[in-house]
Amino acid sequence: MQLESYATLDRQWTMLRLIPAEPQSITVAALVDGLRDAGHKATRRTVARDLHELSPRFPIVVDDSGKTHRWSWKKKAGVDFLPRLNASQCLALAVVRKHMAMLLPKSVLDDLAPLFDAAERELASSGWKDWPSRIAVAPPAFALLPPRIDPKVLADVQHAIARRVKLIAKYRSVGARAATRRSFDPLGLLLRGHLVYLIALTAENPEPRQYALQRMRETAPGTERCHEPQGFSMRRYARDLAIAPRGWIRLRLHFHARTAEHVREMPMSKYQTWRPIEGTDKVEVCATVQDDLQLKRWLLSLGSEAEVREPVHLRKEMAEEMRKALRAYDA
């Protein structure tokens, strides 16, 4: 009898974890499938009985307006049944909510809101309640407002990626006046600052490409299995996309002494040398680095504070970029 009670408790606890929070919902049939995947045998009648027994004791609700009943946790209810957050977890969540909200889609923030609220309640009754207000973050670059992403689009994209099925959506390319319906083979999601991209294949582009989620609408996960290139890696794709590596180089730069202090405190690599240039207020810094887009963007951001001396090909590229900028301002 005791073993039977443990089995019932385990099944019901698993079932409660399968139920999503509003506005999402789940049917009894889907719960039966989920329980079966978790190793529990249960009929629809058993699950329905469990739901009606547990609903008076837990904040779960049923939408019985349609032919098929759908079950959900009430909004902000789920965190009440998690282990209590400790001070470090609360502080981390409070800082994320205050300083990283711009980096997350609104739909993600909405899903995390109950956890953020629980952390703030815990902090309010502790000695750490003022800590989030004592921390400020200065953005490293000019910050743009994030684009609006339809929560349904994000949910459909995530579903298609997780289930490894095709995604049907209307997509408007940059510069196009109208969106066109396309079938995507989703490979993963890429976050670049405020932007969220679907990395996918299409009939028009059989190589992995980026598709911005804010330009998608009328999405729907398909039923057909999606295609994935053999050996494809999202991590490798993101790395190569971000830096476009061209190989290692020995970089020689001339810095104004004040600017060079930053490079002394935060070296470009482990293999960095430093020497003052006699008779000037400049410093020569040499380092072995990867020749990539990140390096080029960093050098351009320094403007006249740094001069590339070697390698010659990089010096020529930097000079040409600066000449283009000067022509634009002289026009």
Side-chain angles (χ1 to χ4, degrees), residues 182-199:
R182 306 187 191 185
S183 174
F184 297 90
D185 287 283
L187 302 175
L189 285 177
L190 176 71
L191 278 66
R192 301 184 73 175
H194 299 321
L195 302 176
V196 183
Y197 294 95
L198 170 67
I199 307 303

Side-chain angles (χ1 to χ4, degrees), residues 243-309:
I243 65 176
R246 299 192 295 186
W248 294 93
I249 57 172
R250 186 63 177 170
L251 180 66
R252 184 161 68 94
L253 300 173
H254 284 186
F255 284 99
H256 289 289
R258 186 175 63 179
T259 304
E261 278 297 315
H262 298 297
V263 184
R264 175 176 250 174
E265 295 168 349
M266 297 181 291
M268 291 180 283
S269 75
K270 295 179 181 179
Y271 310 103
Q272 177 174 296
T273 61
W274 164 294
R275 72 170 183 87
I277 301 175
E278 291 186 13
T280 71
D281 64 345
K282 294 185 177 182
V283 172
E284 182 176 273
V285 179
C286 296
T288 301
V289 297
Q290 180 69 247
D291 185 5
D292 55 37
L293 287 176
Q294 289 182 338
L295 173 65
K296 193 171 180 180
R297 289 166 182 162
W298 176 66
L299 291 171
L300 287 170
S301 73
L302 294 172
S304 62
E305 293 295 311
E307 177 193 356
V308 176
R309 303 293 294 182

Side-chain angles (χ1 to χ4, degrees), residues 87 90-91 94 118-132:
C90 291
L91 288 172
E120 290 187 359
R121 288 195 298 270
E122 291 289 341
L123 286 177
S125 59
S126 72
W128 295 91
K129 61 182 179 181
D130 294 331
W131 184 256

Side-chain angles (χ1 to χ4, degrees), residues 16 79 95 228 276 304:
L16 289 172
V79 295
V95 171
E228 182 170 326
S304 62

